[in-house]
């Protein structure tokens, strides 16, 4: 017999970081990701999407061996930064873009869902177990799909998706629920 238990994020710690972060109400529309710049995270796809949208700001919070693949002039790479700074940058962006080729269940996705960011993911197995296309985020495969969804998000704020994603974290992907499931085993 086998069962699985989803990852969960610590909402108490995340709330403390959010409450201590400075939000810039006058920031430009920004699409971001967070993590190591490596093959798994698919920086080539991130770069292609950014190149297709030269008037949109893209932000990669992180560093890695494939940094040189992020060549589009509208991509800012922060390098590694302190957690509080990463949260501040996340709060000052609108869209979380996860271009990964594969994932377990990324904390950056769960945290972005909790912070009510519109989440757009590449069609990777585990991500599709979390994001239901059109319900709590978007699942894309082709460059055109990513571009269309980002444009839709920019010009039509869809708070229902973000609210649904937020509630999914509250009800399924937080550390208290995860701990309770382990306890029940």
């Amino acid at each position: 017999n086998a069962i699985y238990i989803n990852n969960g994020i610590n909402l108490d710690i995340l709330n403390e970081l959010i409450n201590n972060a400075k939000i810039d109400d006058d920031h430009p529309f920004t699409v971001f990701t967070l993590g190591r710049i490596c093959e798994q995270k698919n920086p080539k796809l991130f770069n292609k999407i950014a190149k297709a949208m030269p008037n949109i700001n893209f932000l990669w919070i992180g560093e890695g061996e494939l940094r040189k693949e992020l060549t589009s002039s509208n991509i800012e790479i922060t390098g590694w930064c302190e957690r509080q700074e990463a949260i501040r940058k996340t709060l000052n962006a609108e869209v979380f873009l996860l271009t990964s080729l594969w994932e377990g269940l990324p904390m950056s996705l769960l945290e972005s869902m909790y912070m009510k960011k519109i989440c757009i993911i590449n069609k990777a197995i585990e991500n599709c177990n979390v994001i239901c296309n059109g319900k709590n985020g978007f699942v894309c495969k082709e460059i055109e799909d990513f571009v269309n969804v980002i444009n839709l998000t920019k010009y039509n704020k869809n708070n229902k998706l973000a609210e649904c994603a937020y509630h999914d974290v509250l009800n399924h992907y937080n550390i208290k629920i995860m701990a309770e499931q382990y306890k029940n085993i």
Side-chain angles (χ1 to χ4, degrees):
N1 294 329
I3 63 169
Y4 73 93
I5 295 175
N6 286 314
N7 276 347
I9 57 175
N10 188 321
L11 300 182
D12 294 334
I13 290 173
L14 186 56
N15 281 326
E16 185 177 325
L17 291 166
I18 290 169
N19 291 335
N20 290 324
K22 183 178 184 287
I23 299 173
D24 178 9
D25 293 327
D26 194 31
H27 67 272
F29 181 86
T30 302
V31 175
F32 78 100
T33 198
L34 187 146
R36 200 169 110 233
I37 308 170
C38 62
E39 183 162 344
Q40 174 198 6
K41 300 296 184 184
N42 201 1
K44 284 182 182 179
L45 178 57
F46 190 89
N47 194 66
K48 286 179 184 177
I49 297 165
K51 277 190 173 190
M53 307 186 80
N55 296 323
I56 301 284
N57 293 329
F58 284 78
L59 175 67
W60 193 301
I61 304 168
E63 184 59 75
E65 63 271 13
L66 296 181
R67 180 185 180 120
K68 65 184 179 304
E69 293 189 7
L70 298 173
T71 60
S72 187
S73 61
N74 57 334
I75 298 175
E76 174 191 349
I77 305 168
T78 65
W80 293 120
C81 52
E82 295 293 324
R83 181 130 167 79
Q84 183 67 55
E85 180 64 9
I87 295 297
R88 185 189 72 75
K89 289 186 177 296
T90 298
L91 290 169
N92 286 299
E94 285 69 36
V95 173
F96 176 69
L97 177 61
L98 189 63
T99 55
S100 297
L101 295 169
W102 69 89
E103 285 288 351
L105 180 49
M107 299 302 217
S108 58
L109 173 60
L110 299 179
E111 288 180 351
S112 296
M113 291 168 66
Y114 183 74
M115 288 186 268
K116 299 182 181 177
K117 302 300 170 187
I118 298 296
C119 296
I120 304 171
I121 64 167
N122 192 22
K123 192 172 182 176
I125 293 172
E126 185 58 39
N127 297 337
C128 294
N129 291 335
V130 177
I131 297 296
C132 180
N133 192 39
K135 182 181 175 213
N136 63 352
F138 295 100
V139 180
C140 298
K141 190 170 181 175
E142 306 297 328
I143 299 289
E144 297 77 25
D145 298 333
F146 286 102
V147 169
N148 289 338
V149 168
I150 291 169
N151 279 326
L152 173 71
T153 301
K154 182 176 182 183
Y155 299 110
N156 181 18
K157 308 289 187 221
N158 194 333
N159 293 333
K160 289 180 185 178
L161 287 176
E163 281 294 323
C164 185
Y166 169 80
H167 286 286
D168 284 348
V169 171
L170 289 180
N171 297 322
H172 303 289
Y173 303 107
N174 72 71
I175 202 164
K176 289 179 181 173
I177 289 172
M178 184 178 81
E180 188 62 33
Q181 289 175 336
Y182 276 114
K183 182 180 167 189
N184 290 337
I185 292 173

